[in-house]
Amino acid sequence: MTTRQILNVFEQYQKARTAFVQAVADLSTRPQNIETLQNAGVMSLLRPLLLDIVPSVQQTAALALGRLANYSDDLAEAVVKGDILPQLVYSLAEQNRFYKKAAAFVLRAVAKHSPPLAQAVVDSGALDALAICLEEFDPGVKEAAAWALGYIARHNGELAQSVVDSGAVPLLVLCIQEPELSLKRIAASALSDISKHSPELAQTVVDAGAIAHLANLTLNPDAKLKRQVFSALSQISKHSVELAEMVVEAEIFPNVLTCLKDSDEYVKKNCATLIREVAKHTPELAQLIVNAGGVAAVIDYVGDSAGNVRLPGIMMLGYVAAHSENLAMAVIVSKGVVQLAIALQEEQEDHIQAAAAWALGQAGRHTPEHAKAVAQANVLPTLLQCYLRAGSSEDLQIKAKKALKNILQKCVHLPALEPLLHDAPPNILKHVVAQFSKVLPHDAKARRLFVTSGGLKKVQEIKAEPGSALMEYINIINGCYPEEIVRYYSPGYSERLLERIDNHQPIMTN
């Protein structure tokens, strides 16, 4: 046998390996093929090919494994059990850039499914190797490594701390300064995933100088990048006053307000979330946003959006209104209550209605003037309806009840309260009647109107327990009128009159 014939055998074997991994990589892009591949033992066949002497076979084998692991946690588990991770980690340090990208993809695909699988990736020693990849010259390798690190960090604080301990954070901050957009996006996303778990982790990101670079990117024209940038700044701001102040000091206001009108829904939502996370901490931070025109911009945003995109705007208005009388009045004057009332009426999902109810309660709870502004937007019947509706979630019922109570305890605008006299259950009715008992003794015009509108008649029909607070309020109201008026409007009075007619003996005159 000639040398040529012998070498031919090896060439054919190489071609067969190449064709096999290529075919498996292609087949694994379609979900309907995955189960058949798994049943055919594809994992154990791909594993030795990761150490193949031909680089293209190694890379394609890694790519195929990544696609399989990406599909389900069972296949990701099979990668872990097959002892494939240590091989990949070893190769990350040794192999060329194409292989590094494929290996980082497998690590990401395994880590994404659950904390235990992400922990398995950490235990294989992947973090140090991935952090080193962030220093590679090739942006594609950096991108793959940043992506894998983000997927590990997103699960919980312990895993995020492991990523921090690998020294990745300063390198991720360098990545957001690179010219490649996709690398900036993924690095910003990874910083967001690290920051979200705790103030300490967010502080680590801040200490690496991330805020200034993220703030510079808020006006970048790329929508996908802005989504991640606003997400990262939100996750930093949410933890504490100090962190929120640092974000504000990067001079993001009023520039970020323009992004509330962005054409991309996620940019708008993440921008509104950032404003909410800053506003919630202190009256001073909320005032700063008001001064920058933030409340008016968010009210427009609430009016222009719907569903979950609307939610952070609704909550932001609630947080601002909760801080003080003046801030609540700023929301009212800017027509915020009107938009919140529309959201309460329009939205179908209970958690969004609950947020709107809560925000309205915060706006109306400060003074009679605040309560009147909220009541005049005709929200009290809607809040009552949310509270009484059989299908309402427990959270919506609690928030609607609390909002009603907050507004009612301050509201002395009687025309807005009257409809509730007819519809409210006893636990709400008590607060409604209490307000009438406060106003009627001091207002003759209101007393007259209360009679002609049928309010006094309705009060007489209320069945209150003797000695209860409700009974006390009814007695105060009744004390505002002559006894014969109260009797006239009491239930059964007309029957008693008719009875007296029946029993009356006419006086006969001769």
Side-chain angles (χ1 to χ4, degrees):
M1 210 176 202
T2 64
T3 305
R4 182 68 212 139
Q5 286 172 315
I6 294 168
L7 290 174
N8 204 29
V9 173
F10 284 91
E11 277 176 23
Q12 284 176 331
Y13 179 47
Q14 183 181 318
K15 280 178 186 169
R17 298 198 312 279
T18 306
F20 173 73
V21 288
Q22 190 59 62
V24 170
D26 290 342
L27 288 167
S28 56
T29 58
R30 289 181 284 282
Q32 63 268 31
N33 299 332
I34 302 288
E35 200 177 329
T36 312
L37 288 168
Q38 191 180 6
N39 294 339
V42 71
M43 290 296 193
S44 56
L45 294 170
L46 286 171
R47 186 188 171 203
L49 297 174
L50 289 170
L51 298 174
D52 199 278
I53 56 165
V54 180
S56 64
V57 173
Q58 290 181 355
Q59 291 152 27
T60 314
L63 179 65
L65 272 172
R67 285 174 179 170
L68 291 163
N70 199 39
Y71 177 73
S72 75
D73 48 2
D74 287 345
L75 287 160
E77 192 81 54
V79 171
V80 173
K81 286 181 177 162
D83 245 1
I84 290 168
L85 295 178
Q87 265 175 240
L88 291 165
V89 172
Y90 170 76
S91 305
L92 267 177
E94 302 296 323
Q95 296 289 349
N96 65 29
R97 63 200 173 102
F98 300 108
Y99 186 87
K100 286 177 179 177
K101 276 193 271 191
F105 169 53
V106 183
L107 294 171
R108 176 184 110 214
V110 171
K112 82 169 196 179
H113 293 289
S114 67
L117 285 167
Q119 189 62 54
V121 173
V122 173
D123 294 342
S124 71
L127 290 179
D128 291 339
L130 287 167
I132 290 165
C133 286
L134 290 176
E135 298 186 81
E136 283 278 331
F137 177 74
D138 183 81
V141 174
K142 289 182 190 174
E143 196 179 302
W147 213 338
L149 289 165
Y151 271 54
I152 293 166
R154 69 173 47 174
H155 291 293
N156 58 44
E158 291 77 20
L159 286 162
Q161 187 61 55
S162 301
V163 172
V164 169
D165 294 342
S166 73
V169 171
L171 298 170
L172 288 167
V173 173
L174 286 173
C175 287
I176 59 172
Q177 300 168 61
E178 293 284 351
E180 291 80 16
L181 270 177
S182 56
L183 178 55
K184 284 178 189 283
R185 287 177 201 149
I186 290 160
S189 174
L191 290 170
S192 176
D193 285 330
I194 292 166
S195 304
K196 72 182 180 182
H197 300 290
S198 71
E200 294 75 23
L201 286 163
Q203 189 65 53
T204 307
V205 172
V206 171
D207 292 343
I211 289 178
H213 298 296
L214 289 167
N216 287 339
L217 295 173
T218 54
L219 296 178
N220 190 290
D222 183 70
K224 286 181 182 172
L225 174 57
K226 282 192 288 191
R227 289 178 193 175
Q228 304 304 339
V229 167
F230 284 126
S231 171
L233 289 170
S234 303
Q235 300 293 9
I236 293 167
S237 302
K238 75 178 183 182
H239 294 292
S240 70
V241 178
E242 293 74 26
L243 288 166
E245 283 174 348
M246 285 179 174
V247 171
V248 170
E249 281 161 14
E251 298 183 353
I252 58 168
F253 293 106
N255 293 347
V256 297
L257 299 178
T258 58
C259 294
L260 288 172
K261 294 192 178 297
D262 200 276
S263 56
D264 185 277
E265 293 282 277
Y266 292 101
V267 171
K268 288 198 292 190
K269 186 184 177 189
N270 291 358
C271 180
T273 304
L274 167 59
I275 298 168
R276 177 193 76 194
E277 298 298 2
V278 172
K280 75 180 184 184
H281 290 293
T282 64
E284 292 74 23
L285 283 168
Q287 188 65 57
L288 184 144
I289 291 170
V290 172
N291 296 346
V295 164
V298 171
I299 290 166
D300 288 345
Y301 166 82
V302 170
D304 295 339
S305 51
N308 279 320
V309 178
R310 202 180 215 170
L311 185 58
I314 291 170
M315 291 180 70
M316 180 271 184
L317 294 175
Y319 280 129
V320 172
H323 283 305
S324 72
E325 288 180 22
N326 290 343
L327 286 165
M329 196 48 79
V331 172
I332 290 166
V333 168
S334 301
K335 305 282 189 290
V337 168
V338 175
Q339 286 302 342
L340 289 170
I342 292 168
L344 183 67
Q345 191 85 46
E346 282 181 354
E347 290 296 338
Q348 301 301 309
E349 291 189 59
D350 282 9
H351 69 283
I352 303 173
Q353 284 190 313
W358 168 78
L360 286 162
Q362 298 307 317
R365 72 183 174 85
H366 297 283
T367 68
E369 195 182 349
H370 290 78
K372 180 180 178 181
V374 175
Q376 282 180 323
N378 202 30
V379 297
L380 297 178
T382 315
L383 286 169
L384 185 63
Q385 187 189 343
C386 291
Y387 173 56
L388 296 176
R389 195 171 64 218
S392 291
S393 68
E394 188 185 355
D395 182 49
L396 174 55
Q397 289 180 332
I398 290 167
K399 289 200 166 65
K401 181 186 173 186
K402 187 84 167 49
L404 273 169
K405 196 173 161 186
N406 283 345
I407 298 162
L408 289 173
Q409 284 175 340
K410 294 291 180 185
C411 187
V412 291
H413 180 61
L414 301 187
L417 297 178
E418 278 208 26
L420 300 190
L421 275 176
H422 302 276
D423 304 322
N427 57 342
I428 301 293
L429 193 60
K430 175 176 71 179
H431 300 294
V432 178
V433 176
Q435 294 310 104
F436 280 103
S437 73
K438 288 176 193 172
V439 176
L440 293 174
H442 312 290
D443 189 335
K445 191 179 174 186
R447 288 199 293 274
R448 183 183 177 85
L449 198 61
F450 192 58
V451 173
T452 56
S453 67
L456 185 62
K457 182 173 185 291
K458 181 63 195 169
V459 166
Q460 305 315 310
E461 292 166 7
I462 296 169
K463 292 178 174 58
E465 292 284 322
S468 66
L470 181 56
M471 193 72 223
E472 192 182 323
Y473 301 142
I474 291 170
N475 290 338
I476 293 170
I477 292 170
N478 289 345
C480 297
Y481 296 95
E483 199 180 324
E484 59 270 27
I485 295 286
V486 175
R487 270 208 310 274
Y488 178 76
Y489 286 108
S490 297
Y493 181 69
S494 53
E495 285 81 0
R496 287 200 297 278
L497 280 179
L498 289 169
E499 208 175 291
R500 283 179 65 184
I501 292 168
D502 290 342
N503 298 334
H504 182 67
Q505 294 297 324
I507 298 165
M508 307 296 286
T509 55
N510 294 323

